[in-house]
Structures are given as structure tokens and as C-alpha cells.
Amino acid sequence: MFDKEYDVIVVGAGHAGSEAAASAANLGCSTLLITMNLQNIAQMSCNPAMGGIAKGQIVREIDALGGYSGIVSDRTAIQFKMLNKSKGPAMWSPRVQSDRMRFAEEWRLLLEQTPNLDFYQEMVSGLLVENGEIKGVRTSLGLEVKAKTVVLTNGTFLNGLIHIGEKQFGGGRAGEKAATGITEQLINFGFDAGRMKTGTPPRVDGRSLEYSKMIEQPGDDNPEKFSYTDLTTPLTKQRSCHMTYTSLEVHDLLREGFDRSPMFNGRIKSIGPRYCPSIEDKINRFADKERHQLFVEPEGWNTVEVYVNGFSTSLPEDVQFKALKSVVGFENVKFFRPGYAIEYDYFPPTQLTHTLETKLISGLFFAGQINGTTGYEEAASQGLMAGINAALKVKEKESFILKRSEAYIGVLIDDLITKGTEEPYRMFTSRAEYRTLLRQDNADFRLTPKSHEIGLASDDRMRRMEEKEKKASAFVQFFKDTSVSPEEANPILEEKKTSPINQSGKMFKLFSRPQITLDDIRHFKKVARYIEENNLDKEVLEQTEIQVKYSGYIEKEKNNADKLNRLEDVKIPKNFDYTKLKSLSFEAREKMSKIKPATVSQASRISGVSPSDISVLLVYMGR
């Protein structure tokens, strides 16, 4: 049945698996995507949304690298919001509310149109391994499929266990069975495994809600989009979300079920996502709070199904129902299905290299929740990188690794493999030390050239990026070269309550003032004429404004990144023996022997490794 050897097999077709399959196939590798249900490709198992704080930056990066998540998000969006617009541009984060059914459909159609990609529906129950090298996979029907590399993206399916109150049953998500066999085999190969937990709220019938009692949450007046390509367009109509609150009465009703909650009676022993706690966890941990926000999110353009964001729970269904009926606007609520918690196996990611290849088995890659992350965007970015690196390994080309100063994706992967995680890892802007450089608006400048170099980003993407970069740089230079007189400038400066100028000066300095916006600067005839003559679009104008206003911060961060990147250039031999460095602390020797950092810079980020340990290492490497 499978008489050929594939270059890459991807196991699992969630967000990680879909991006992995697309990137490997688009790099020219024969690729097979195996999943337990082809109807659920890129299923949004939890909330129907993409992006958000730091996550929006990741989607932009995936798009800039040639992945599909941004395109699919744009094509299936029902609402767009740029979050944190009141803060500096390093914090701006795009987010879309998605049509759940259309999202999965669009992903499937895009994958079906991708050359070099085959599909097969069945459970993978084991791996074929010889002498520490991957050789393929074995399915539950006993089929053996040969491959040069394998990418595991099993999500929450590995020995998945669903909890609703006192009830528990095996499953990868509601209505789907768990995957078995792989964990046990990997443990036999010497891998460490652990358990994690995540949860989801009830889904309800929107026809049973009273929206007039809630606060409407519309999208942006001038919505943007994720993708830098012309394959998508901004929304012209949008659906609103709504907001309501829990109350002390709701909290009391929920507490009545705590003794039946698997979280509190000890049946769930694994750790859940710290920054997306269940409603019972919130009212237990923040007992002084009288209410918590609930976001009422439509699941699509036409469906009546609604996602109750903020009410994630594993309490018994009768307790969930009774408590939710006491929320304002939910008095007559009808359930589509109750919320539940799910426990699943993961593998501590310190067992991987920067390419997401496992250290123990050559050619085997892990991506997504199997690495202890939470979130579609975190999973998709790992899938993209694992797919790229599996393809490059097959082609015997140099690995593709992003530094912390180059991408949020670089921060994510470095955090995972260097520090590991014992709770579901979620990306935040605060995790990135170079967030002024890693903005959502410049992801294409940062990453498209790198992706084009390996053959993933198309010539058209590269040309568009270069054109935009050229126009933005020229416009910045225009402000540096062009003078403005007090007569022209002062009326605007006085209106904006900022000090007037006494003599002519460069526009760059004027535009740098926080009170002066691009709309103000456009009042100058020279500027308006330049914009019109050069046909500058919204993206170029925004890019120019950021580069002018934040030039000092950007320059400072670039210098810091350059200093630290020098340590990235100091490589550590692959099987370096740390025991011979007697001056290292015992903890540093132990941690570095286990994690095997590739560079001195990576070694410096391992918890327990001190600056003096790094000095010892640098002296030795210098010799």
C-alpha cells in the first residue's frame, strides 16, 4: 500500500502538524500527513481565535516565513482587533475572531492544493527505529510506512484523559479517542515523559442568550490583516463579541461543586496553564475578587454556537449549568456541551536541539503540545520550524535556527530547549528581551529574506518585502533631509500643546515628538506631496512612523543584541565533557551535561548556571 519511502512523515494534523506538513512539502520533500480524522485538520479545539498578546506577533512571523496560519486566519476571520494600541508598537498585537468551521475547511483546502503532500487517516501506534535513527511509523492496523524523518505533533491525544466532575474517560478531545502506544515506546528508548492538563469552557446556544444585557465588543473601525501577501484582504464587515461578568452568587454556586471537582479532590495531578486558569481555580486563588470577566464569542458567521471565554471548567455538568444560568445575560442558557479538562502526555523539551530534533533519535522531531506548550500559535510556529528542519535534514543542508533577537519563534524554542517547562508554556511579550526589535509590523523585514534563502518564501514575497522596505527607508531619509520653518510648524505644535521652534530644523526631530502623529505631519505640503507622488500605502506609512519615533530605542536594543550575539558565535563541541572543567559549579556541570548547549550564549540562559561559570567556559573555549 505504501511502497515508497517518504522524506517526511508528520503525525497529527492540528496546527503544528498542518504547518509542518506544508513547510516540508513546499520545500520539495515527499511528505505524508497521518491523522486519526481527516475531517478535523487544524481543528480549533479551544477558543475560535488566532493571535493576541505576543501570539499575534508569532502569526505574523509564520506568515513572513511562508507558513499558512496568517492566510487562513485572514480568510476565515469574523472580527479583527489590534490589541494594546494605546501602548508603544512593541506591544501592538493583532488578533482575529475566527469562523471555526471555515478555519478547518480552509486549512484542508490549502493543504490539498500543496504539491508533494499525501494524506492518510489512521492512528500511529509506534515508531520504526534502527540504531538510534528513525525509519518510519507503524499504524494501529499494522501498516509500516518508511520515512527518512518523522515529526510528532500529537497535541493532547497521547494517553488523553477527559474529566467532567467525577466522570473520566479516554479521549484526545470531546468526541475523539486518545492515541496510545507512542509514549510507552519512547520511554523505552530512554525519553522522560510527563503529564499536563488543559481545559475548555462550555459551548452554548447563542439563541438562548440576552445580548442586550451584555457589553458589546466590536472589532476595529479600520481592520488590518495578518498576512503580508495579497492573497487576503481586510474585513469589510465584522461580528461583535460581548462581555459579561460572574458574581458572588455564581462563585457560591461553583464552590458547591468543589468537592466533586477533579482539580480539588486529587484526581487531576498534572499542572494546567497558569495564565488561562479554570473558573474554579480563579475563584479559589482570587477569593477577594467579586467578579471575573466572561467574553461571549461567536463561533462563526452563521452558526449559533457560542464560546464562553473565561469559564473554562471541569466541574460536574449540573454545577456548570446552574452557575452559568446565574450570569447576567445567561438566565435562559442552553448548553451545546459542558466544559471539561483533559490530561495528556508530554515530553520535557530539554530533550530536543534548537531544530526541534530529539537528541536520542536522529531524524525524529517533536512540535506543539508534545513539547509542553499551550496555544495554537505556539504549536503552529514549532510545526513550521520542525517541518523546515526535517526537510533540510533530508536534503543534507544546514539547519534553520532563529535567534532570540530575530523572532518570538526563536525565543519560544530557546526557552523550551534551554529551560524546559513543567507547566504549559505560553508566549508573552515580556519573555522577549528584544521586543522593540520583534514587532508585529516588521516580521517580514526580519524573516522573509531568511525564508527566501532556504527556498520557502517565494520570489514574489521577497520582491514585495524589498519594495516596502525600500519605500519606508526612503521616507525616513526624507524626514532626515527635509527642513521645516517655524512659520509652517508652530501652528501645529501650538495646537498639540508642545513647545514651538525658533528656527528652521529637520522634520525628523519634529516628527520624533510623542505629541506629533503622522496625521499631523501630513498637513505639511512637502509631506503630502511626497506620499502622493510615491504612492505610499498604510503599511509603509506605519513602518516609517515607528522607525522615526522609536529610532533611539531600536538602536539601543540592536546594540544590546549585537553584544549578546557575540556569545552565540562561541560554539561548544557536541559531546563536550564538562566534568573536566573543575572550576565549574557542580550544578552547572550537571545542567550543561544534560542540556548540552550548542553555544556559550545558550549555556548562559540555563537556570543554575552563573556568570562565573560562563567566564570559566569562555576562558576554556578561548584556548
Side-chain angles (χ1 to χ4, degrees), residues 502-543:
N502 303 320
Q503 59 189 54
S504 293
K506 298 299 182 193
M507 272 193 182
F508 188 91
K509 198 171 180 184
L510 203 69
F511 196 8
S512 299
R513 294 189 186 191
Q515 302 88 343
I516 304 300
T517 66
L518 183 64
D519 288 337
D520 300 320
I521 218 91
R522 283 174 102 149
H523 285 110
F524 298 122
K525 286 177 185 170
K526 296 172 194 168
V527 177
R529 192 165 59 246
Y530 186 96
I531 291 171
E532 192 179 339
E533 286 173 0
N534 291 278
N535 193 24
L536 303 185
D537 61 20
K538 188 181 173 187
E539 275 189 26
V540 172
L541 296 177
E542 182 184 79
Q543 191 57 234

Side-chain angles (χ1 to χ4, degrees), residues 434 437 553-563:
Y434 308 114
L437 300 180
Y553 297 104
I554 291 167
E555 204 52 46
K556 188 178 175 186
E557 216 160 82
K558 267 186 185 159
N559 291 336
N560 288 341
D562 288 343
K563 281 178 195 168

Side-chain angles (χ1 to χ4, degrees), residues 22 34 44 102 165 179 181 188 196 228 270 304 321 357 372 419 423 430-431 458 515 528 590 598 602:
I34 306 185
M44 290 180 137
R102 288 246 28 251
N188 285 337
M196 277 189 181
Y228 293 104
S270 46
V304 297
F321 183 62
E357 185 177 15
K419 299 171 183 170
E423 61 184 67
S430 58
R431 294 195 193 271
S458 66
Q515 302 88 343
E590 189 179 51
Q602 189 197 347

Side-chain angles (χ1 to χ4, degrees), residues 139-271:
T139 73
S140 55
L141 290 176
L143 290 175
E144 292 194 350
V145 194
K146 296 289 187 350
K148 293 172 184 149
T149 59
V150 171
V151 183
L152 292 185
T153 69
N154 304 77
T156 58
F157 281 76
L158 291 178
N159 294 319
L161 188 63
I162 291 173
H163 297 265
I164 303 175
E166 301 100 329
K167 304 175 183 112
Q168 59 184 54
F169 45 92
R173 60 180 159 227
E176 295 180 66
K177 65 180 182 179
T180 55
I182 291 177
T183 298
E184 295 73 17
Q185 189 185 14
L186 287 172
I187 289 170
N188 285 337
F189 283 129
F191 285 86
D192 292 332
R195 293 285 274 176
M196 277 189 181
K197 167 188 94 74
T198 189
T200 192
R203 309 302 200 272
V204 304
D205 189 333
R207 296 168 299 183
S208 67
L209 305 181
E210 291 186 59
Y211 291 106
S212 59
K213 293 182 177 180
M214 305 179 201
I215 303 156
E216 189 178 5
Q217 304 274 297
D220 288 350
D221 291 336
N222 297 301
E224 296 177 41
K225 62 194 191 94
F226 272 120
S227 183
Y228 293 104
T229 68
D230 57 3
L231 298 172
T232 65
T233 53
L235 288 168
T236 51
K237 62 169 188 164
Q238 302 185 69
R239 272 199 81 172
S240 287
C241 298
H242 288 79
M243 185 170 73
T244 184
Y245 291 91
T246 61
S247 63
L248 290 175
E249 183 194 354
V250 174
H251 297 179
D252 288 341
L253 289 168
L254 288 166
R255 281 193 191 95
E256 285 177 19
F258 276 12
D259 60 330
R260 298 163 63 200
S261 163
M263 263 193 60
F264 296 124
N265 62 19
R267 270 206 309 282
I268 292 182
K269 294 182 173 63
S270 46
I271 300 172

